[in-house]
Amino acid sequence: MISFKFTKTLLLVLLPFFLFAQDTKKDITKLSYNELHDLYFNNVGNPKKQIQYTNAYMAKAIKENNNIRKAKANYQIALLYYKSDKNKAIQYLDSVIKYSKGTNDKFFPTAAYCEKGDFLKGQFKFKEAMANYNLAEKNALQTNIDYYYIVREYIGITKSENLGEYHEALDIFKECYRYYKSKDIRSSKYAGEYQSLIFGIADCYKSLMNTDSTSYYNKLGYSESKITKNEEYQYLFVLNEGANQVLKKNYRTGLDSINKALPKMIQYDNIGNVLASYYYLGIAYDGLGKKAKAAENFIRVDSIYKITKDISTEFVDGYPYLISYYKNLGDKENQLKYVTAYMIIDSTLQKNYRELNKVLYKEYDTPRLISEKENLITSLNNDKIKTYWGLGFLVLASLGMGAFALHQYRIKKQYRSRFEKIINEISSNDNREINKENATKIGTIKEEDIGIGEELVNQILEKLNRFEDQRGYLESNITIQNLSTSFETNNKYISKIVNLYKRKSFTQYINDLRIEYAINQLQENSKLRKYTVHALALEFGFNNAESFSAAFYKRTNIKPTYFIKELDSTL
């Protein structure tokens, strides 16, 4: 999907408050809110000064007990953590929401809900992101109808670009489009949003392969952007129509449009759409039978991805093309290069993971990729081997591969047995509930053995049960220290009780709860099975894919990827 939302952060809603730069030599404690606000935004890139101004802003708000000003101060602090610590930014946005609720402000807490939604979306927490967008639109509907439709558009973008829900996104874009049609769509206030919505409609139709409707809205958007002299959007519509013509197999027309738009995308440093341009150029040249030119453009797509580590799943199809292209040329080194790149993209791609597995398996399944890579490596080595020892090495390699294949067969059989055992355990009983009952009914542990009074033990066990019921273990930052604080007890007591009653260390206890929950959720929710391992790790409380995989294997003796694959083939 061609990206149509440029760098358009929600802090733009504060633009009406901007003033000209102030004299920084003034006593900042005597400055007005608007002056402090203006100084804060005039010092973007200088966090020390920004903190100085926002602290003065906050101090003034606290002194006057002005909640909406407290909210805006917290919003400024949240923006400072935008890139460095998104979790901390979310905490400050929560403070914005707390102070601005019920104030009937035109922009808060709506802007805070939206920013929070964006942060959560970046962490692959789409359900929570959508919940915050919905709160934003509910608030904006009561306080600022223009901003309500901006929020609606962001919901449409999420559904279209991240969730692949093109029909739902199209309905939202058209709803917003009808609203803006009643406004002065060529004024500076509404022109940008109106053209953005036209693009959203056109791009959704393109994703749904309704090429005639795509052309209609691309033409409309081009006309509007030309009238309002919005050059970047003008050429974005040219690019989108070029891609649409390529999909219609009008390759020469598509090439003409894309080649007109590409220099402008480079000029505006619109890297995502530079990549899109090269991708559709590759498709067009392939359609015209110009294989070398097609490969040249797919190589440019790969070069941009290597720098940015950001690629839409729509554009991954260039890799199978390059693999086949170099295979036909007999160029094993480049063939191996793009087989390897194609295999590792699942672990390096952290955006738009929703369709990644489908893309990877569309042209090649994993065993075939592994086999092709191994064959290429072997073949390249064989080309260099000219001696008797080289032939001997080949024999040993073949024996090794046979042994490896036998070993893999045995492992596969073991994994299948372990998988079936897990499924049987899920269907026969609720392990966690049984473990909780056992934990609270153990009567052989004496007070003098544990050194904690029976009443306190029972209290802590009850709190642990509530902690499990409320799924507190899904918090990624849970530690024995912060759990003991919430329990209002000593962390050594919790450690002892978990060791004796749960019969495991605190870390193992938390990880086992997460994995048991993950197993149940993966079985019940087919959408989760389309997530990357990294996304699943974040969903179930782990900080990274490695720790999630290690905990899953320790608990089940199989890897999560295998478990998901078997679930998909079984259910």
Side-chain angles (χ1 to χ4, degrees):
M1 173 170 285
I2 293 174
S3 174
F4 62 99
K5 241 359 180 188
F6 307 117
T7 306
K8 178 185 175 185
T9 61
L10 290 169
L11 63 86
L12 288 179
V13 301
L14 302 179
L15 277 174
F17 301 116
F18 280 18
L19 302 175
F20 293 105
Q22 305 294 322
D23 182 3
T24 58
K25 294 180 181 179
K26 288 183 180 179
D27 181 358
I28 63 173
T29 62
K30 296 179 181 179
L31 296 177
S32 69
Y33 288 116
N34 284 348
E35 288 173 321
L36 289 167
H37 174 278
D38 187 51
L39 286 168
Y40 172 91
F41 283 101
N42 275 299
N43 281 279
V44 171
N46 189 340
K48 286 185 178 179
K49 280 194 173 183
Q50 285 187 294
I51 290 170
Q52 178 186 2
Y53 297 128
T54 202
N55 283 344
Y57 194 109
M58 179 67 85
K60 186 178 179 70
I62 292 171
K63 183 179 179 181
E64 297 177 3
N65 196 24
N66 188 326
N67 280 344
I68 191 60
R69 295 297 182 176
K70 290 177 188 176
K72 291 178 179 179
N74 277 287
Y75 186 75
Q76 290 178 4
I77 299 171
L79 293 178
L80 290 174
Y81 287 105
Y82 181 81
K83 291 184 178 179
S84 62
D85 190 340
K86 285 184 169 51
N87 287 326
K88 204 153 192 174
I90 288 173
Q91 290 176 10
Y92 280 102
L93 290 172
D94 284 334
S95 294
V96 176
I97 293 165
K98 181 179 95 173
Y99 286 117
S100 58
K101 268 186 177 179
T103 61
N104 288 320
D105 185 81
K106 288 184 69 176
F107 299 114
F108 293 101
T110 306
Y113 282 128
C114 279
E115 292 284 8
K116 189 175 176 183
D118 281 348
F119 288 140
L120 291 166
K121 189 166 66 172
Q123 296 174 344
F124 306 99
K125 296 178 180 179
F126 293 114
K127 186 182 293 185
E128 295 94 326
M130 290 300 293
N132 277 274
Y133 285 139
N134 290 335
L135 288 169
E137 67 175 338
K138 182 179 179 182
N139 195 77
L141 189 59
Q142 298 173 350
T143 59
N144 188 340
I145 195 65
D146 280 347
Y147 201 18
Y148 168 79
Y149 283 99
I150 291 174
V151 177
R152 290 291 289 161
E153 184 185 3
Y154 271 85
I155 292 173
I157 291 168
T158 303
K159 285 182 175 290
S160 145
E161 292 191 350
N162 301 108
L163 303 178
E165 297 172 358
Y166 303 118
H167 288 289
E168 294 89 337
L170 188 58
D171 288 342
I172 292 171
F173 290 144
K174 285 190 173 181
E175 171 197 342
C176 297
Y177 172 81
R178 288 190 293 271
Y179 172 75
Y180 285 109
K181 284 291 285 183
S182 67
K183 304 296 179 182
D184 183 0
I185 55 174
R186 290 169 187 169
S187 67
S188 58
K189 183 176 181 180
Y190 294 110
E193 285 300 326
Y194 178 62
Q195 290 162 32
S196 175
L197 285 163
I198 294 173
F199 195 98
I201 294 170
D203 215 42
C204 277
Y205 275 128
K206 181 163 67 70
S207 297
L208 294 168
M209 297 304 292
N210 188 336
T211 52
D212 289 340
S213 293
T214 303
S215 292
Y216 172 83
Y217 283 100
N218 279 333
K219 184 177 179 181
L220 175 62
Y222 177 83
S223 174
E224 288 297 325
S225 57
K226 191 171 184 179
I227 290 169
T228 58
K229 298 181 180 179
N230 187 336
E231 186 183 65
E232 187 168 7
Y233 259 112
Q234 187 178 330
Y235 281 95
L236 190 60
F237 282 109
V238 172
L239 172 60
N240 200 43
E241 184 56 26
N244 189 46
Q245 291 298 322
V246 170
L247 295 177
K248 293 170 77 170
K249 299 186 179 180
N250 297 328
Y251 299 120
R252 294 192 184 281
T253 304
L255 281 173
D256 182 60
S257 293
I258 296 168
N259 282 323
K260 285 179 182 176
L262 177 56
K264 292 295 181 179
M265 297 299 106
I266 295 171
Q267 177 184 327
Y268 285 108
D269 198 28
N270 194 329
I271 301 300
N273 286 323
V274 171
L275 185 150
S277 299
Y278 288 134
Y279 174 79
Y280 281 106
L281 285 173
I283 297 294
Y285 281 120
D286 179 47
L288 293 171
K290 298 183 178 181
K291 304 294 184 184
K293 290 285 286 182
E296 179 184 321
N297 282 282
F298 289 136
I299 290 168
R300 286 171 177 160
V301 171
D302 177 63
S303 298
I304 293 173
Y305 168 65
K306 284 178 179 174
I307 295 170
T308 64
K309 297 300 178 185
D310 186 6
I311 186 172
S312 167
T313 55
E314 178 184 2
F315 307 132
V316 181
D317 282 346
Y319 289 94
Y321 184 91
L322 289 171
I323 294 167
S324 297
Y325 174 76
Y326 284 112
K327 184 176 183 179
N328 292 334
L329 289 180
D331 186 340
K332 295 175 183 177
E333 289 188 4
N334 274 315
Q335 187 185 352
L336 176 61
K337 174 183 176 180
Y338 291 108
V339 166
T340 303
Y342 194 40
M343 287 178 67
I344 65 173
I345 199 169
D346 185 34
S347 62
T348 56
L349 191 63
Q350 295 187 10
K351 292 183 179 178
N352 300 326
Y353 63 85
R354 173 185 51 79
E355 294 178 346
L356 184 58
N357 287 337
K358 286 192 284 185
V359 173
L360 278 175
Y361 290 113
K362 185 159 58 176
E363 293 289 340
Y364 291 84
D365 57 21
T366 299
R368 181 180 168 190
L369 279 170
I370 294 172
S371 174
E372 186 161 350
K373 181 179 179 180
E374 290 177 346
N375 289 338
L376 283 167
I377 293 170
T378 303
S379 178
L380 285 168
N381 287 334
N382 288 345
D383 290 343
K384 298 176 184 178
I385 295 171
K386 303 292 183 182
T387 64
Y388 171 81
W389 291 107
L391 294 173
F393 175 77
L394 278 176
V395 172
L396 290 173
S398 299
L399 290 173
M401 289 177 68
F404 177 75
L406 179 61
H407 177 64
Q408 289 296 102
Y409 170 77
R410 289 174 177 171
I411 288 177
K412 185 176 179 180
K413 194 172 180 181
Q414 288 177 352
Y415 269 33
R416 181 64 195 180
S417 175
R418 293 167 185 171
F419 171 81
E420 290 173 351
K421 182 180 177 182
I422 294 168
I423 297 301
N424 289 335
E425 286 176 355
I426 292 172
S427 60
S428 62
N429 58 61
D430 184 342
N431 292 323
R432 189 167 68 84
E433 290 300 322
I434 290 174
N435 289 337
K436 283 166 62 178
E437 289 180 14
N438 289 341
T440 58
K441 291 180 180 178
I442 295 173
T444 58
I445 301 172
K446 298 179 181 179
E447 181 176 334
E448 53 266 31
D449 293 335
I450 192 171
I452 307 172
E454 182 179 350
E455 183 179 350
L456 181 55
V457 169
N458 289 332
Q459 288 176 1
I460 292 175
L461 286 172
E462 286 176 5
K463 289 179 180 179
L464 285 172
N465 285 343
R466 284 198 299 273
F467 168 77
E468 293 175 25
D469 291 336
Q470 294 168 2
R471 296 174 185 161
Y473 48 82
L474 295 180
E475 293 293 330
S476 60
N477 60 350
I478 189 71
T479 64
I480 196 168
Q481 285 80 14
N482 58 37
L483 189 62
S484 63
T485 300
S486 70
F487 282 10
E488 297 181 340
T489 189
N490 190 305
N491 59 14
K492 292 181 180 179
Y493 290 170
I494 293 180
S495 178
K496 280 186 178 182
I497 289 170
V498 169
N499 290 342
L500 288 168
Y501 286 82
K502 304 296 182 180
R503 297 180 178 178
K504 56 188 74 173
S505 69
F506 180 80
T507 300
Q508 186 183 351
Y509 165 65
I510 295 296
N511 284 345
D512 284 354
L513 287 171
R514 289 170 174 171
I515 297 305
E516 287 172 14
Y517 178 74
I519 288 169
N520 280 286
Q521 289 297 301
L522 287 169
Q523 188 184 32
E524 294 171 5
N525 189 346
S526 60
K527 289 184 180 179
L528 281 175
R529 299 199 289 272
K530 296 177 183 178
Y531 283 22
T532 61
V533 175
H534 177 78
L536 287 173
L538 297 176
E539 182 76 14
F540 298 127
F542 295 90
N543 289 319
N544 52 61
E546 290 76 16
S547 60
F548 170 58
S549 294
F552 196 101
Y553 188 85
K554 185 175 181 180
R555 175 69 180 81
T556 64
N557 282 326
I558 61 176
K559 295 178 180 178
T561 49
Y562 177 85
F563 180 74
I564 292 168
K565 181 181 176 183
E566 289 300 307
L567 276 178
D568 282 335
S569 63
T570 303
L571 300 178

